[in-house]
Amino acid sequence: MGKRTKQYKKLMRAFQLLGFREPYQLLMTSDIILDTLKLDLMALFEKTLSTKNLKPMITQCCIRALYAKNVGPNRDPAAAAAIDRAKTFERRRCGHLMDEDPLTERECMLSVVDPKGKGENKFRYVVATQDEWLRERLRSVVPTPLMYVRRSVMILEPMSSSSARAREREERSK
Ligand SMILES: [Zn+2]
């Protein structure tokens, strides 16, 4: 077993102590789908998380962002393929579609992961996003495993200091 595989297994065991269970709910934004069209995205997730027991999900707002990239003179030629791939994932009903003022992916993700704005990942989502701003923001929403792809390699971030503090509290309470 590779060094990184071991490291990631250990990390996910630490998240399991904080309430994560398989199948992991894998919530992703449109950018990671667009960036990995030439790769087997699910195989990357399975390898990184050392399990095939995964539930890939995308919110209504994030898939709508893909549809928005597929229209008009500046349409992204990769958008149609990304939509096809996104359709194979479970649609997370975020309930934002009816709003007159649509939410950005960032706003949508924050409201789905931390619905009460208390800095808690209530439903224990694993978040995969290429958006550095969003990952930075979610480091203080605990506990949240954060993933992204760089140069065709999937990265699972080390546990954030906020999540690590939550784990310490959890261990002390036993
Ligand atoms: Zn939404």
Side-chain angles (χ1 to χ4, degrees):
M1 198 187 293
K3 190 177 159 203
R4 177 158 285 183
T5 307
K6 271 189 199 161
Q7 181 197 330
Y8 286 166
K9 274 194 161 192
K10 192 175 164 202
L11 188 49
M12 288 316 291
R13 274 199 300 274
F15 276 112
Q16 283 178 346
L17 293 175
L18 293 169
F20 282 82
R21 296 283 175 270
E22 293 183 21
Y24 297 131
Q25 305 187 93
L26 206 55
L27 194 61
M28 62 194 104
T29 50
S30 66
D31 52 7
I32 198 162
I33 300 172
L34 280 165
D35 279 6
T36 57
L37 284 175
K38 294 201 171 84
L39 306 170
D40 185 342
L41 180 59
M42 287 315 296
L44 285 178
F45 281 127
E46 288 167 5
K47 183 162 172 264
T48 309
L49 295 169
S50 292
T51 178
K52 289 187 188 298
N53 198 6
L54 299 172
K55 198 171 175 190
M57 308 172 94
I58 185 163
T59 70
Q60 292 167 301
C61 295
C62 293
I63 200 165
R64 187 181 50 197
L66 286 175
Y67 279 107
K69 288 188 172 108
N70 197 32
V71 293
N74 297 320
R75 69 177 279 277
D76 184 337
I83 291 167
D84 284 345
R85 184 167 274 187
K87 279 180 176 168
T88 66
F89 304 149
E90 183 175 317
R91 195 78 53 92
R92 168 60 159 86
R93 297 184 62 81
C94 56
H96 299 138
L97 271 188
M98 305 311 284
D99 289 356
E100 285 179 19
D101 228 354
L103 292 191
T104 63
E105 290 192 74
R106 286 174 175 177
E107 292 170 316
C108 178
M109 290 291 282
L110 287 174
S111 83
V112 167
V113 177
D114 182 16
K116 291 188 174 160
K118 285 182 173 171
E120 190 200 358
N121 180 2
K122 189 169 179 226
F123 302 106
R124 298 300 191 260
Y125 290 113
V126 176
V127 175
T129 180
Q130 303 292 77
D131 183 348
E132 282 182 43
W133 182 94
L134 186 58
R135 288 204 307 275
E136 168 63 32
R137 182 66 188 69
L138 287 173
R139 279 182 206 124
S140 56
V141 176
V142 301
T144 309
L146 293 164
M147 306 179 84
Y148 62 98
V149 171
R150 187 170 57 203
R151 290 191 288 274
S152 303
V153 176
M154 186 163 276
I155 314 281
L156 175 61
E157 286 194 358
M159 194 177 272
S160 72
S161 52
S162 305
S163 286
R165 278 196 297 276
R167 186 182 53 170
E168 281 162 20
R169 279 195 300 275
E170 189 67 25
E171 279 172 357
R172 270 201 303 272
S173 71
K174 277 180 186 156

